Amino acid sequence: MQKIKSFEVDHTKLDVGMYISRVDDDIATYDIRMVKPNTPPFLENSGLHTFEHLFATYVRNSKFSKNIVYAGPMGCRTGFYFLTRRMSHEDSINLVKQTMDFIANFDGEIPGASEKECGNYLDHNLKLAKLYAQKMSLVLKNWNAEDLEYNK
C-alpha cells in the first residue's frame, strides 16, 4: 500500500500552527496542529470533544458555511483537520482565527451536547476547550498564507 500524504510529514520537525496538509481540486485540507507531535501533554478527550462541537458549529454557521467540508480531531490528539472548498488560504486562516476567538470567549450551553444529539454527551469540558482556543489564538495571531507550508 502507498503511504498516505500525512504520514510523509516529518513529525519530529512539525510544530504548533496551521498548515496545508493537501489540496485536491477545490478542497484544501488544513492541519491545525495544537500540540507539538510526540510531546505530551496531548489534548484531553473531554476538551477536544467540546472544542470539536464549538469549532464545527461556528464554521458551519459562518458566511463560509457552504465552503466547509469537514472539521474534526486528529486521532493522535495533537490537533484538528479542517477541510474547505473554494476558499482562499487567507479566508481559511481568518476563519480559524475567528473560530478560536469564539471558542475562547464562549459561555453557555455547548451545542449538540445532549444525549439525543451526541454519542458521548457526558464527555465534555468547556474550560479545557477555551484554554486550547486561547493558546491557539496566540499562535495564530500573526499567521498568514506564507506560514501554511510545513517545511519553511
Side-chain angles (χ1 to χ4, degrees):
M1 296 178 90
Q2 284 187 334
K3 189 181 287 190
I4 63 172
K5 188 166 181 153
S6 62
F7 295 156
E8 293 176 3
V9 173
D10 185 346
H11 285 66
T12 65
K13 296 179 181 176
L14 189 58
D15 207 349
V16 175
M18 180 175 172
Y19 305 97
I20 297 170
S21 176
R22 60 186 295 155
V23 176
D24 300 289
D25 298 321
D26 63 343
I27 297 175
T29 300
Y30 297 96
D31 172 344
I32 302 171
R33 194 63 64 155
M34 300 165 67
V35 173
K36 185 172 177 57
N38 301 304
T39 310
F42 301 105
L43 301 172
E44 292 185 28
N45 282 333
S46 59
L48 181 74
H49 189 195
T50 302
F51 187 96
E52 173 195 14
H53 278 237
L54 293 170
F55 192 103
T57 298
Y58 186 82
V59 297
R60 290 185 176 129
N61 282 279
S62 73
K63 69 179 183 178
F64 296 106
S65 62
K66 293 181 180 179
N67 303 90
I68 306 306
V69 177
Y70 175 76
M74 296 176 179
C76 60
R77 295 185 294 131
T78 62
F80 271 73
Y81 289 114
F82 181 47
L83 283 73
T84 63
R85 171 178 279 131
R86 292 185 298 278
M87 275 180 71
S88 71
H89 295 314
E90 292 82 6
D91 283 341
S92 296
I93 293 168
N94 287 330
L95 180 56
V96 169
K97 288 178 182 181
Q98 292 165 12
T99 305
M100 295 303 160
D101 289 341
F102 168 76
I103 296 169
N105 296 299
F106 184 83
D107 285 312
E109 190 174 317
I110 299 162
S114 72
E115 183 177 15
K116 184 178 180 181
E117 300 165 310
C118 179
N120 194 2
Y121 78 103
L122 295 176
D123 192 27
H124 281 280
N125 187 324
L126 180 57
K127 185 177 177 180
L128 266 180
K130 291 172 76 157
L131 179 64
Y132 297 156
Q134 290 165 2
K135 287 181 178 181
M136 273 312 286
S137 287
L138 294 174
V139 170
L140 298 176
K141 183 177 181 180
N142 296 312
W143 213 261
N144 59 54
E146 295 168 4
D147 297 313
L148 291 172
E149 290 184 43
Y150 279 124
N151 300 313
K152 291 182 274 179

